[in-house]
Each structure stands twice: as C-alpha cells, then as structure tokens.
Amino acid sequence: MTIDIPFIWIAFKEIIKALPITLILTIVPLLAGFLIGIGVALVRIYKMKFLYRIANGYVSFFRGTPIIMHIMVIYFGFPLLLDQLSLRFDLGIQTNKIPIILFVLIALTLAAGSYLSEIIRSGIISVSNGQMEAAYSVGMTKFQAMNRIILPQALAQSIPNFTNIFVGFLHTSSIAFLVSQKEVTGAANIVASVNLKFLEAFIAAGIIYWGITILVEGISFLLEKKVTAYNRGGVS
Amino acid sequence: MIYLQGIKKSFNQLPVLKGINLKIEKGEVVTILGPSGSGKTTLLRCLNFLEKPNAGIVQIGNIIVDSEKATKKEMLAIRKQSAMVFQHYNLFAHKTVVENVMEGLIVAKKVKKKDARHQSERVLEKVGLSDKLHHYPSQLSGGQQQRVGIARALALNPEVILFDEPTSALDPELVGDVLSVIKSIAQEGITMVVVTHEMSFAREVSNRVLFMDEGVIVEEGTPLEIFHAAKEERTRRFLQRISGESFFTPLKEQVN
Amino acid sequence: MGKAFDLMLIIEFIPTLIQYLGITLQILAASIILGLVLGIAAAIPRLYKIPILNQLVILYVSFIRGTPILIQLFLVFYGLPAILLLLFSIDITRMEAIYFVIITYAISNGAGFSEIFRAAIRAVDYGQTEAAFSVGMTSRQNFFRIVLPQAVRIAFPNMANSVIGSLKDTSLAFTIGVMDMMGRGDTLIAATAHALEVYLSLSIIYYIIVVMFEKIFSKLEKYFNRYQKADVTAVA
Ligand SMILES: Nc1ncnc2c1ncn2[C@@H]1O[C@H](COP(=O)(O)OP(=O)(O)OP(=O)(O)O)[C@@H](O)[C@H]1O
Ligand SMILES: [Mg+2]
C-alpha cells in the first residue's frame, strides 16, 4: 500500500464539484434553524406556559442525541408519516418521489434550531438588564426593546459561537453521505471506491473541509472586530 | 537585616531602577514614597525576585545573592526569607481563609499540617478573622481579604514583610481596619518595607521614609526629616502635591 | 422500505441494543483517557512556546478542528496502516476496527483538550503565581498546588461538553465496521426491516446516557465551583 500523491490532486478536482451540495446542507439548515432558534429562545426566556415545556424538551432531546439519529429517523419516519396522511386524506403524495436531500435538510434544520436556540438564549441573557430598562426609559415597547436593543447586542456577542456552529454543521453535513448524498464526503467515497484509492480521496476531502473552515474562521474574526467595535474605546 | 547594592532593572531598554543601595536593620519599618512610575513596586519586587534585577546584590538575613548569576535555588531561598502583601490581595482563590495561610507553612516551611492549622488560626485571630476561617476569598470584603493577605505573610514569620500599596484597592471606610492591623504588627518589631500613599501611616508608623523618583532614591530620613524638612526640591514638591495643605497643619502641631 | 410502524418494537429493541452500550462506553473511556494524555502533551509546547513543536501542535489542532470526525476516521482507517507499513514495515491491516476508532477519537479529543487546557491555564490570574512565589513555593509547587486546581475548574465545563460531544460522535464508529450499539442496530435492521424503530430505540438510549452524563457533570461542576461567589454559579 503506497500513497499516490498526484492522485490527491485528481481526486481534489473531482470532489470539489460536490462542494455546493455540502454548502447547501450547511447553510440552509442554519438559516432555517436560526428562525426556529430565535422563536425557541424567546419562548424559553419569557417562560410562555405550555410552549415553554415543548421548547425545553425539543432543545434537550435534539442536543442530547447524535445528529445521525435525527437524519435516520426522519429519513425513515417521514415517508411513513406522509404515506399515512396521504392514504387517509387521499392526497396522492408519492413519497418515493421526494428527493432524499429534503429529509436531510429537515433533520439538520431541526438539529440546528436546537443548538442555535441555546446560543441565542445565552446571548440574550448576557445583555445586561440595564439595557432593557434603558430602552423602556426612552419609551420603547418590549418588542421594540428586544428587536432594536437586546438582539443586536446578543447576536454580535455570539459571533464566535455562531462560527463554531457553522463549522460544526459544515462537518456534520458529512453524515449525509450515509444516506447516499453526493456531498463532499459522498463524492470522496465514490472517487475512492471507483479508483480503489481510499486514503488519497479522503485526504483530498479533508483538505477541502479544512480550507473552508479556515476561511470561515477568518471571516468571522474580521466580522467580530467590526461588529463589536462599539464594545471598545473608552480608556484602552 | 536587608542589604541592597547597586540594584539595576530595565524593562525593554527602559531603565526603571538605576542602581539602588539600601540597608535596612532588623525591626525597622521603612516606607517608600514617590510618584507613580518611579519604580517603587519594581524595587519591592526585586527584593523577593518576583522581578529579577539586571545587576546588583540582594541580601536578606544570611542569604546573599548576586542577581546577575542568581539561580532558581537562590531566588527560592530569598523568597523563603521574605513575604509579600499585594495591592490586589492575590489570595489563592481555590483555598479557604485558613488554607491560604497554611499553604506557605506546609509547602515552603514544611510545617506539619496540624501545626500549620494551629499557627494559622492564631495569626488569623490576630487580624480579627477568627470567624471567617472557612470562607473562600470571594466571600470576603476587600478589607477582610487584605487582612488574610497580611496573615498569610505574617504566619511565615519571615525576616521581612513587603507591602505594595496594601490599602489602595480598598474602599475608604475599609482602609482604617487594615492600617491598624499593619500598625499593630509593626509594633511587634517585624521588619517591614511598605510602599504606600497613606501619608499618615508613613508619618506615624515608620522609622524611616525613602523618597524615590525616576529609579533612584532621592532622599531618605526619619518621617520628621522628610515631611518637615526635606532637603530635596523634588521631595518637597511631591509631598506638597500629594497632601495639599491638610497635612502640614497636624505636622506642625506634632513638631511643636 | 420497511414494514408497518410498530411502537412496541421500540421498547423491545432496547434490551438487545443496550447490551452493546459497553462497547460504546469503552470507546469513549479509552479515547478520553488517551486524549487527556495527548492533550496535556500538546498543551505543553503551546504554553512554553517550544519552537517547532509549537507550530506542529498549531497545525495538528487546526487540522482536527477543520475536518469532520468522519473524514478523520477514514484517514486513520486507511492511512495509519499505510504509514506504519511504509515507515516501520508494521502490518496492522488485520487490527480490529475498534482500535482505529479509539485512535481517531483520541487524536480528535487530544486536540480539543489541549486547547481547553491551554486556555484554562492562561485564564488563571498571574497574581496567583506571584503570591505562590511570595510565600516561597517553587515553580512546580505553584503549578500543581495553585494553578492547576484553578485551571481544572475553569476547564471543567468545556471538558464536560467535549466528553458529551465525543459520546455522540461514537455513533459514527459503525461506518468502519465496529459492532457497537449502532453496528448492532444495523444488523437488527437487516434482520427485521424495522429501521425507524431501531433508530428511535437508539435515540432513546443515547438520550438517557447523555442526560445522565449531564447530571453527573453538573454535580461535579458545583463541587469545583464551591469557592466561587454564589452569584457566579447561579447564572448557568
Ligand atoms: N513588567 C513590566 N514591563 C514593562 N514595564 C514595566 C513593567 N513593570 C513596570 N514597568 C515600568 O516601570 C516603571 C516603574 O513601574 P513601577 O510599577 O515600579 O512604579 P511605581 O512606582 O510602583 O508606580 P505606582 O505608584 O503607580 O504603583 C513604569 O514606567 C512602568 O511602566
Ligand atoms: Mg506600584
């Protein structure tokens, strides 16, 4: 067994074509999950009765189980559920026509929502009480205060956490290859088995993930400097 | 006895101590005054090698160290001769009050744990903290924390205790407590070097006052000499600025 | 696809699957212990800025942070035998899959731990070290009696998160053929065609274990924080 260095480059060129799918599997769940996350965070902070329990259960369960379970349960469970509904209400949905990526996206979105809600919640809590009171004192409503004063500060403070989540979900999207998605890891697997050069293919895939990660962390670093500019100044 | 000769220290080419010579007798209480940045803290820290001087000789008790070739072992020996009370207390955050005081006894002095506890409790009683033995530093006020810091130093029974502005981080109403503790141990005949901005303390407690500026000892003398009849213009200007008018009045009364 | 959904099966599968929990926990324990050793070893060159080693550790940590655990698993699985054969003519192609998993997760944990340790040690106020010196402690006494105990407290919550993350990551070990809970689940699916029920059983088991870990860790954290101000611990 030897390492075929030139093949790494060949594999790289082939595998990087799958990057858009990896990015879709990363970004779409994070965007959709962000909306869920804000909603869930507010429900939990304001302790809205009943909803509050559901939100707690959702966050705890999704954060407490491996994401591969979410993908598998939805991959196997959703079609079953839809078939039942379709049968009962005569909707005529053909579940085998639904692209698998949709199930993966739903699963990852639900997972992202649970993780993001925790980040947003801790961000909101970390903005001091005084900020809310100051907002009230100039005549803002609760909604205005949240929207204009608290959330912008909370989100700016959470940039490092968001970066971690982004990188985490970029990496997590590799699990999708287990339900035969042709994202970066899936593509690497195909290149590997067709050419029987496993190590080289996965090295190439590793380089792609590594490169994107470094890029994202760099952007986040610059962004953080810009967004939290209001936090500096004064004496130092 | 403490003896410093030709102590020099620079930070990135900036000379901060420019050759300090100093002799302190056993039982003496020496206060160091001087404007901010004059090198008071640095001098104190050179005494126990928290800063390593670039040149000069440090002697505490019978330990003599040439700072240019000071080994780890020698620095440790000097540190075992001295103890320090820090401006920001620096109590061991993960240890209770009594454990803070015991720590140096057990580790550096190799005292048995039981004896260390005994001694520590006695010293803590002296600083008025018998009721706080098992509190953690975070549960104490600044004044109480600083008294633990003093107890920690005192328990080691060192040749000298170094104080770096022990009251300047305290709320004004807590300063008195801490100062009176320091005064009471000064009267026990323990050698002390105190950097402070508390003029009343310097006047009432110390045997000798040093005035430092720009890395040298500009002038030294008894409190009376320094406060009432400073020879150097720099000293007079500093004292005037720091205490305004209020301090001349009581001094005059004292002199008369 | 599978047969009709059967709620009872979820309960029925649990005893079968849980027999394999031991393997999962073994992987976890071994990779954490090895990871701790590796993490300490990697933190030292960073803390003491040992040239070359320092840069190597930075590279190591960056790579592990930059790639999915799945890719790391494949790289070790395909790469380690190749490297050992090439450099030392040691043939480990017949080594059991579980060892590859343990090695991968140890390498991965080691990188994470080293960063956690480094940050924790640097977070201990330097005044603590000065105070230790002032009462006559040596550097070593200062490190073990003063700095380390405080660093452990600072590091603990992050370590706990890492361990729980690692536990969830073990669910990917089956991809290289390890017979843990997930591996057994796979065979159960092949035998019964009740994939959804198997994954739900697995989710329940993982969730219970994670919650138990969280309970234990939060107890330990309280213990470590006993010398902190009450209001500091109450925030969480
Ligand atoms: N670790 C260091 N690195 C670089 N410069 C330092 C360091 N410590 C002190 N200095 C510099 O040395 C000079 C003397 O500092 P020092 O702390 O001894 O002054 P001080 O007399 O104690 O002042 P203050 O009354 O403000 O405490 C200052 O100019 C300071 O900036
Ligand atoms: Mg100073």
Side-chain angles (χ1 to χ4, degrees):
Chain A
M1 213 196 260
T2 50
I3 302 173
D4 181 353
I5 308 260
F7 186 77
I8 296 176
W9 175 235
I10 299 172
F12 182 91
K13 285 186 291 189
E14 189 58 32
I15 295 167
I16 203 151
K17 289 181 194 152
L19 186 58
I21 303 189
T22 285
L23 291 180
I24 288 173
L25 285 172
T26 309
I27 294 169
V28 172
L30 286 175
L31 290 181
F34 184 75
L35 297 179
I36 298 180
I38 289 208
V40 169
L42 291 178
V43 164
R44 293 180 76 195
I45 282 177
Y46 291 121
K47 298 217 161 58
M48 300 180 192
K49 51 186 159 207
F50 186 63
L51 271 183
Y52 163 70
R53 287 169 169 278
I54 295 179
N56 276 352
Y58 157 71
V59 172
S60 162
F61 189 77
F62 273 81
R63 284 169 50 91
T65 44
I67 291 179
I68 184 174
M69 300 301 171
H70 315 155
I71 294 178
M72 291 306 187
V73 166
I74 289 183
Y75 174 67
F76 288 108
F78 237 63
L80 238 52
L81 190 71
L82 286 178
D83 279 342
Q84 285 290 320
L85 292 175
S86 172
L87 214 65
R88 191 157 302 171
F89 302 105
D90 204 19
L91 298 173
I93 302 172
Q94 284 187 294
T95 47
N96 50 4
K97 290 267 168 64
I98 302 175
I100 294 172
I101 194 169
L102 211 60
F103 298 129
V104 180
L105 286 174
I106 293 171
L108 289 176
T109 298
L110 289 172
S114 71
Y115 284 92
L116 286 167
S117 83
E118 276 295 272
I119 289 178
I120 296 166
R121 191 170 76 112
S122 67
I124 292 175
I125 291 173
S126 75
V127 178
S128 73
N129 244 336
Q131 293 289 312
M132 195 66 164
E133 286 170 6
Y136 287 150
S137 79
V138 297
M140 287 191 198
T141 64
K142 193 174 191 170
F143 176 79
Q144 287 167 329
M146 186 48 83
N147 212 13
R148 304 182 61 91
I149 308 298
I150 307 293
L151 272 181
Q153 292 185 53
L155 298 182
Q157 272 171 29
S158 307
I159 287 176
N161 285 332
F162 285 130
T163 312
N164 283 340
I165 289 277
F166 187 97
V167 169
F169 271 76
L170 173 71
H171 296 170
T172 299
S173 70
S174 65
I175 296 175
F177 114 89
L178 295 173
V179 288
S180 39
Q181 291 306 292
K182 291 187 188 61
E183 40 64 72
V184 169
T185 305
N189 197 39
I190 291 169
V191 171
S193 7
V194 169
N195 299 281
L196 288 177
K197 289 191 191 303
F198 289 89
L199 183 56
E200 293 82 351
F202 289 119
I203 289 177
I207 292 172
I208 294 173
Y209 283 112
W210 194 7
I212 307 279
T213 303
I214 289 174
L215 194 71
V216 168
E217 286 179 345
I219 293 172
S220 137
F221 178 75
L222 295 179
L223 197 66
E224 195 194 344
K225 258 186 18 192
K226 215 171 142 174
V227 174
T228 54
Y230 65 83
N231 242 340
R232 289 191 302 272
V235 270
S236 55
Chain B
M1 190 195 66
I2 297 171
Y3 184 64
L4 295 181
Q5 192 190 355
I7 298 295
K8 289 190 181 143
K9 175 72 185 174
S10 308
F11 291 110
N12 336 307
Q13 327 298 345
L14 172 82
V16 172
L17 297 180
K18 302 170 183 167
I20 301 280
N21 300 314
L22 180 62
K23 198 174 161 188
I24 298 172
E25 298 297 338
K26 208 171 170 53
E28 233 188 329
V29 176
V30 175
T31 48
I32 304 179
L33 307 179
S36 184
S38 56
K40 306 182 296 292
T41 297
T42 307
L43 175 61
L44 212 59
R45 290 161 59 88
C46 281
L47 258 166
N48 66 352
F49 283 92
L50 281 184
E51 301 291 356
K52 193 163 168 268
N54 304 120
I57 289 173
V58 178
Q59 175 179 5
I60 303 183
N62 45 16
I63 310 283
I64 305 172
V65 178
D66 179 351
S67 41
E68 265 171 292
K69 12 186 208 266
T71 63
K72 273 188 184 167
K73 224 171 141 187
E74 288 174 322
M75 300 202 309
L76 189 64
I78 285 277
R79 284 177 188 155
K80 287 189 182 185
Q81 298 283 310
S82 64
M84 188 171 223
V85 175
F86 295 86
Q87 183 173 6
H88 297 286
Y89 332 129
N90 293 5
L91 298 184
F92 301 129
H94 61 312
K95 306 232 168 226
T96 61
V97 164
V98 66
E99 285 167 349
N100 258 279
V101 181
M102 288 162 63
E103 193 65 13
L105 288 173
I106 294 172
V107 177
K109 296 240 142 157
K110 309 275 180 248
V111 177
K112 283 214 197 70
K113 207 166 170 178
K114 211 174 132 201
D115 299 336
R117 182 175 297 274
H118 252 58
Q119 293 176 28
S120 301
E121 285 172 1
R122 255 207 337 268
V123 179
L124 282 164
E125 195 181 333
K126 207 185 285 184
V127 299
L129 285 174
S130 292
D131 54 333
K132 302 275 190 243
L133 295 182
H134 304 294
H135 283 56
Y136 284 101
S138 61
Q139 299 165 327
L140 302 180
S141 76
Q144 290 166 338
Q145 289 190 53
Q146 193 57 300
R147 281 185 279 153
V148 178
I150 294 168
R152 180 172 69 182
L154 199 57
L156 294 167
N157 195 21
E159 285 284 322
V160 59
I161 302 182
L162 312 169
F163 293 80
D164 188 8
E165 304 197 26
T167 57
S168 65
L170 296 175
D171 291 337
E173 70 268 25
L174 298 176
V175 170
D177 277 355
V178 172
L179 280 182
S180 66
V181 168
I182 299 177
K183 264 183 215 172
S184 74
I185 60 178
Q187 277 145 16
E188 289 179 21
I190 291 167
T191 317
M192 308 199 316
V193 183
V194 187
V195 172
T196 185
H197 289 295
E198 291 290 332
M199 293 303 141
S200 63
F201 177 87
R203 237 173 16 234
E204 293 163 29
V205 184
S206 54
N207 308 106
R208 187 146 55 110
V209 178
L210 307 182
F211 174 71
M212 277 186 76
D213 195 11
E214 295 181 356
V216 295
I217 297 176
V218 174
E219 185 168 4
E220 60 178 291
T222 65
L224 224 59
E225 286 167 345
I226 295 289
F227 287 109
H228 187 59
K231 295 190 209 69
E232 299 287 329
E233 174 63 25
R234 268 197 281 183
T235 317
R236 266 175 287 165
R237 246 186 304 152
F238 170 76
L239 291 173
Q240 230 155 18
R241 203 178 52 233
I242 203 153
S243 38
E245 294 165 6
S246 59
F247 110 94
F248 282 102
T249 352
L251 191 69
K252 266 186 207 138
E253 286 162 12
Q254 211 176 317
V255 174
N256 298 338
Chain C
M1 210 159 276
K3 300 178 189 165
F5 181 69
D6 185 348
L7 204 65
M8 283 314 291
L9 279 181
I10 300 177
I11 317 277
E12 277 175 35
F13 285 150
I14 288 181
T16 315
L17 292 168
I18 219 161
Q19 284 169 18
Y20 292 79
L21 178 62
I23 305 284
T24 298
L25 294 181
Q26 267 171 35
I27 297 173
L28 185 67
S31 64
I32 299 253
I33 292 167
L34 290 175
L36 281 173
V37 176
L38 205 57
I40 292 170
I44 291 169
R46 297 283 279 128
L47 284 168
Y48 292 97
K49 299 220 161 51
I50 302 171
I52 305 175
L53 279 182
N54 186 19
Q55 279 76 11
L56 282 178
V57 171
I58 292 176
L59 201 68
Y60 156 54
V61 171
S62 165
F63 180 76
I64 298 297
R65 277 184 55 89
T67 48
I69 187 83
L70 213 46
I71 295 284
Q72 292 163 20
L73 196 55
F74 294 155
L75 285 178
V76 170
F77 188 62
Y78 294 110
L80 195 61
I83 290 173
L84 288 183
L85 201 61
L86 217 63
L87 295 183
F88 309 104
S89 350
I90 302 171
D91 183 10
I92 55 160
T93 39
R94 284 171 195 287
M95 194 166 78
E96 275 184 62
I98 189 171
Y99 295 111
F100 288 103
V101 171
I102 290 173
I103 292 170
T104 310
Y105 286 37
I107 293 174
S108 173
N109 282 332
F113 290 165
S114 80
E115 282 302 277
I116 294 173
F117 295 156
R118 190 173 71 98
I121 285 173
R122 293 185 44 173
V124 176
D125 178 15
Y126 192 68
Q128 297 286 309
T129 295
E130 294 194 334
F133 287 160
S134 84
V135 299
M137 287 193 202
T138 62
S139 299
R140 182 184 304 246
Q141 287 166 335
N142 167 47
F143 184 78
F144 286 105
R145 298 187 66 99
I146 305 300
V147 177
L148 197 60
Q150 298 186 55
V152 167
R153 176 190 68 78
I154 297 169
F156 188 80
N158 292 328
M159 295 289 292
N161 277 338
S162 275
V163 171
I164 287 174
S166 207
L167 169 65
K168 288 188 279 178
D169 278 348
T170 57
S171 63
L172 297 174
F174 81 100
T175 53
I176 60 167
V178 173
M179 239 318 159
D180 65 342
M181 285 197 298
M182 283 293 275
R184 183 68 182 95
D186 251 7
T187 61
L188 213 52
I189 292 168
T192 64
H194 280 286
L196 181 57
E197 293 87 340
V198 168
Y199 285 117
L200 285 171
S201 301
L202 285 168
S203 302
I204 291 169
I205 297 173
Y206 267 107
Y207 183 58
I208 291 172
I209 306 295
V210 167
V211 169
M212 269 166 44
F213 270 54
E214 279 172 349
K215 286 256 151 64
I216 295 169
F217 288 148
S218 94
K219 283 248 161 61
L220 283 173
E221 199 178 327
K222 282 221 182 74
Y223 174 76
F224 282 130
N225 274 329
R226 67 200 181 284
Y227 56 82
Q228 290 293 301
K229 269 205 182 89
D231 58 20
V232 177
T233 43
V235 178

